[in-house]
Amino acid sequence: MNRKFEVVVIGGGIIGCSIAYYLAKEKIDVAVLDSQKVGGKSTSAAAGMLGAHSEYKEFEHLYPFVRSSQLLYKELVHEIKDKSGIDIELKEGGILKLVYSEEEKRALQPILAHSTVEWMTASDVIEKVPVNASIIGAAYLKEDVHVTPTSACNGLSKTAQLNGASIFEYTEVAEIKKQDGHYVIHTAKGEFEACYVVVASGVWSNRFFQQLGLTNQIIPVKGECLAVINEGKPLDHTLFYNQNYIVQRNNNKLVIGATQKWNDWDERPTIGGIEEIIQKAKEMMPSITEMKIDSYWAGFRPMTFDGYPFIGAHPHGDNLFFAAGHQRNGILMAPATGKMIKDMIVGNQVDKTWVQAFQVDRRNKISL
Ligand code: GLY
């Protein structure tokens, strides 16, 4: 078995798999190491909304980055399907961001100014989806489509593999060490060698920051979700209000999410959390009360001190990169992150605004 690679990516969530995808496409010899199966942790817990507009407040000056990532999915859906046969289940329909008052509508003016977003009156919304009749309307974010995250992650990893990447599942990394000008990655299954290392382990990146002399930290914001069976007409548009949502999967299931519990490392959902999301979902769509429960779960959103991911080189350079901390928007930002890391490794030009916003040692440069 080959254990020497040009690049080793640590973490096989959607971020790590996207990095491998873009590197393999350039014929770069890349391996992904994951302690479990690819896409098995935070990726599998995500709803998969590509919310460049619904999460606009978080990313206003980085809109070009998140928008470029959203647009990359339009290519990926075909590239992945053609090469690997995997359907990432990109579902059109977009998001209806429900609005209950004039004040809420005013707060949405920055996104309503986008040509891709339109205002919809209450009667138009009610005609399309079975929502609470007390709305005054909705911002229709038609470009905020969604994918099924595990399918997207598997599609990226499988396509990367078919383009020459190696994927090592159930291969937990213990330590990364620099030795004689290259990296030795110690794992439970022996050593790997690489010229470049990329840490893309979400909330599990902390020990690598420490090992590599950095004080960066990522904490989990636990999200609890529920899936119910929709026996009625499929929901043509995702419903969104105050960071809660109801998303139609490509089958007969609706995903209802999600709580936001800071620094909660317990992966089990709670009764209180599920109760909270059911209440919020009922306020958006009263008819969910009658729907049967399919499953429930929780996942960790990887949160940084300022809400932006760390994407870039270690402050000492040294062919060492990080791509972690994508909080609520890992699925959305995966393609642009993968492409950015690939560009940095091959020495292509990368947008300076993005480099600065995501740089790994920015802590001292941003006033808290
Ligand atoms: N992006 C949806 C969530 O984090 O719940």
Side-chain angles (χ1 to χ4, degrees):
M1 182 177 40
N2 177 26
R3 286 175 173 271
K4 288 187 182 171
F5 299 93
E6 200 165 352
V7 184
V8 162
V9 180
I10 300 172
I14 196 152
I15 302 294
C17 290
S18 174
I19 294 166
Y21 172 88
Y22 283 104
L23 288 171
K25 209 174 155 186
E26 298 285 317
K27 306 267 171 285
I28 292 169
D29 188 22
V30 55
V32 176
L33 312 182
D34 196 276
S35 62
Q36 301 195 7
K37 65 180 169 79
V38 298
K41 301 295 273 179
S42 300
T43 296
S44 66
M49 288 171 288
L50 308 180
H53 303 87
S54 65
E55 304 276 350
Y56 186 67
K57 235 168 74 189
E58 314 265 342
F59 290 111
E60 206 164 339
H61 83 282
L62 291 167
Y63 175 75
F65 180 80
V66 291
R67 176 72 172 144
S68 74
S69 203
Q70 186 184 52
L71 290 170
L72 282 171
Y73 272 102
K74 293 191 184 194
E75 298 166 14
L76 286 174
V77 66
H78 301 294
E79 286 175 13
I80 290 173
K81 180 81 187 183
D82 292 349
K83 185 86 185 180
S84 70
I86 294 176
D87 180 2
I88 68 169
E89 299 179 40
L90 191 144
K91 197 159 163 54
E92 303 285 349
I95 291 177
L96 286 168
K97 201 163 190 175
L98 304 181
V99 175
Y100 291 84
S101 68
E102 287 300 332
E103 196 187 336
E104 285 176 9
K105 185 177 174 185
R106 266 193 302 280
L108 287 176
Q109 282 316 314
I111 35 166
L112 284 167
H114 283 258
S115 58
T116 47
V117 177
E118 71 185 65
W119 175 251
M120 227 187 234
T121 62
S123 56
D124 284 348
V125 175
I126 291 163
E127 208 173 284
K128 288 178 187 296
V129 279
V131 287
N132 189 328
S134 61
I135 58 165
I136 65 160
Y140 179 32
L141 319 174
K142 45 180 170 288
E143 294 283 310
D144 287 6
V145 298
H146 63 271
V147 295
T148 299
T150 44
S151 306
C153 188
N154 287 333
L156 287 165
S157 86
K158 182 78 186 169
T159 309
Q161 219 172 357
L162 292 168
N163 283 331
S166 302
I167 311 286
F168 296 90
E169 297 182 305
Y170 301 98
T171 305
E172 181 157 14
V173 174
E175 205 174 9
I176 306 163
K177 275 199 167 158
K178 185 120 197 222
Q179 200 175 297
D180 305 328
H182 65 275
Y183 287 97
V184 179
I185 299 110
H186 297 265
T187 81
K189 292 185 179 166
E191 291 176 2
F192 290 77
E193 286 178 30
C195 303
Y196 295 83
V197 169
V198 186
V199 174
S201 307
V203 291
W204 298 277
S205 301
N206 289 325
R207 66 197 172 99
F208 300 120
F209 284 125
Q210 259 176 30
Q211 274 177 23
L212 299 163
L214 301 173
T215 55
N216 299 48
Q217 241 196 326
I218 297 181
I219 61 153
V221 179
K222 175 172 156 180
E224 292 149 294
C225 291
L226 176 71
V228 296
I229 309 288
N230 178 14
E231 285 166 342
K233 183 178 166 302
L235 194 60
D236 288 334
H237 309 282
T238 293
L239 305 183
F240 197 97
Y241 181 68
N242 253 348
Q243 302 197 315
N244 285 88
Y245 44 83
I246 306 177
V247 179
Q248 177 76 55
R249 280 269 175 266
N250 254 9
N251 49 28
N252 62 348
K253 292 177 194 168
L254 297 177
V255 172
I256 295 173
T259 55
Q260 301 205 72
K261 293 186 173 166
W262 285 70
N263 215 5
D264 182 346
W265 287 89
D266 189 329
E267 290 181 280
R268 294 166 297 181
T270 62
I271 296 283
I274 299 298
E275 215 168 33
E276 181 188 320
I277 56 170
I278 291 175
Q279 188 50 40
K280 300 266 175 62
K282 270 162 66 178
E283 284 162 18
M284 287 190 270
M285 186 175 143
S287 57
I288 65 130
T289 312
E290 304 304 324
M291 294 182 184
K292 293 173 186 97
I293 292 174
D294 175 76
S295 51
Y296 46 87
W297 64 91
F300 293 158
R301 302 178 187 88
M303 178 58 94
T304 63
F305 74 101
D306 62 358
Y308 293 148
F310 298 119
I311 309 172
H314 187 288
H316 297 159
D318 260 1
N319 296 347
L320 190 53
F321 292 84
F322 295 87
H326 293 69
Q327 51 119 337
R328 297 178 59 84
N329 294 296
I331 310 300
L332 168 65
M333 290 193 270
T337 301
K339 209 161 180 269
M340 184 166 160
I341 290 286
K342 179 269 290 175
D343 283 335
M344 287 177 136
I345 287 176
V346 303
N348 290 344
Q349 188 95 16
V350 178
D351 188 310
K352 282 197 179 63
T353 319
W354 306 353
V355 173
Q356 272 172 17
F358 302 137
Q359 76 186 67
V360 174
D361 62 342
R362 67 183 179 272
R363 180 175 272 278
N364 301 326
K365 301 190 173 100
I366 290 177
S367 51
L368 294 169

